[in-house]
Amino acid sequence: MARASSPRIPQALPYATQMAIFSRFREAEPQPLTELHYVNAFTLLVAVALSAQSTDAGVNKATQNLFSRVTTPQEMLDFGVEALTEEIKTIGLFRQKAKNVIALSQRLVDEYGGEVPQSRAALTTLPGVGRKTANVVLNAVFHFPAQAVDTHIFRVGNRTRIAPGRDVEAVERAVEDNVPVEFQQNAHHWLILHGRYICQAKRPRCGICPIEDLCPYEEKTQ
């Protein structure tokens, strides 16, 4: 019996359309920022690690008091896993996340002099830190045009054909390959915001979409 072939991934939108789309995103939000609250590279690293399967708003609420007292890996170690667990108990998987944050803080102190490394390979060796978390830190703090692909970007990338791909790494590569260079630094912020507030999963708000006329999505709604 012949195996069914996987659905063919469509080609990304042409260059001129990408230019038009991201020009509109930039006009609407010239300086997009992560919605996670942080004070330095370490607190952003912690916030993003905590945000897995949690909302940014929920993480911000849990870390508001924490980041007023703890801003370095050594301070986090001094704070301790029990106090941290209590502090972040309102977010999902808080016990394991607390253990990961303490473990990554120890690694930062022992191996990186208490500094957050400016390398994706180094960042992804830290407990609880994946490629997406590393890319957020590289982009937001170190201003490297890394593309942090979450569920919003994966959906928007495929639905609009801005950056189609079968998995998150394929979509990440598609953003890098197809989005014009002048928009690379902020591309993932624009795509996250678009997916979070307009191109939503169940009921995309096509009636207010700034790129509706450029989007090939067939199941458009009003």
Side-chain angles (χ1 to χ4, degrees):
M1 177 185 245
R3 294 175 59 186
S5 59
S6 300
R8 181 176 176 272
I9 298 298
Q11 288 188 334
L13 295 174
Y15 177 82
T17 307
Q18 300 271 9
M19 283 291 296
I21 285 173
F22 282 93
S23 293
R24 293 183 191 181
F25 285 159
R26 181 170 61 188
E27 183 179 357
E29 186 63 62
Q31 295 295 329
L33 300 171
T34 176
E35 293 186 324
L36 287 170
H37 297 166
Y38 66 98
V39 296
N40 57 19
F42 174 69
T43 54
L44 179 60
L45 178 64
V46 170
V48 183
L50 295 178
S51 71
Q53 300 183 43
S54 302
T55 65
D56 287 0
V59 172
N60 290 338
K61 184 177 180 180
T63 59
Q64 181 177 7
N65 184 55
L66 176 67
F67 291 163
S68 69
R69 295 177 291 166
V70 177
T71 60
T72 70
Q74 186 59 58
E75 288 174 350
M76 188 66 77
L77 293 176
D78 294 340
F79 194 61
V81 68
E82 291 184 6
L84 178 59
T85 301
E86 179 66 21
E87 198 74 21
I88 65 170
K89 65 182 181 181
T90 57
I91 64 175
L93 306 175
F94 65 95
R95 290 187 177 86
Q96 185 57 51
K97 289 177 179 178
K99 292 177 183 177
N100 286 340
V101 168
I102 294 299
L104 73 83
S105 298
Q106 190 68 63
R107 288 278 300 280
L108 290 175
V109 169
D110 292 344
E111 299 182 24
Y112 299 100
E115 300 294 327
V116 175
Q118 299 181 39
S119 157
R120 184 187 291 119
L123 286 167
T124 54
T125 66
L126 299 174
V129 177
R131 188 178 182 91
K132 186 193 82 170
T133 298
N135 283 347
V136 171
V137 174
L138 291 172
N139 183 289
V141 178
F142 301 121
H143 308 296
F144 180 79
Q147 308 301 329
V149 177
D150 67 353
T151 56
H152 296 300
I153 294 181
F154 185 81
R155 178 178 65 256
V156 172
N158 280 287
R159 182 182 279 174
T160 64
R161 287 176 41 208
I162 289 172
R166 286 192 174 88
D167 54 44
V168 293
E169 290 196 18
V171 171
E172 179 184 330
R173 290 193 299 272
V175 173
E176 294 172 348
D177 289 345
N178 295 289
V179 175
V181 169
E182 67 179 283
F183 303 112
Q184 287 279 331
Q185 179 63 45
N186 292 319
H188 91 275
H189 292 299
W190 283 316
L191 292 172
I192 287 173
L193 293 173
H194 191 65
R196 185 172 290 166
Y197 297 112
I198 296 178
C199 196
Q200 297 168 340
K202 294 183 178 180
R203 293 186 178 180
R205 305 173 69 193
C206 301
I208 64 169
C209 177
I211 64 167
E212 190 272 343
D213 60 313
L214 301 173
C215 173
Y217 182 52
E218 294 181 357
E219 301 175 33
K220 291 182 181 178
T221 64
Q222 294 302 319

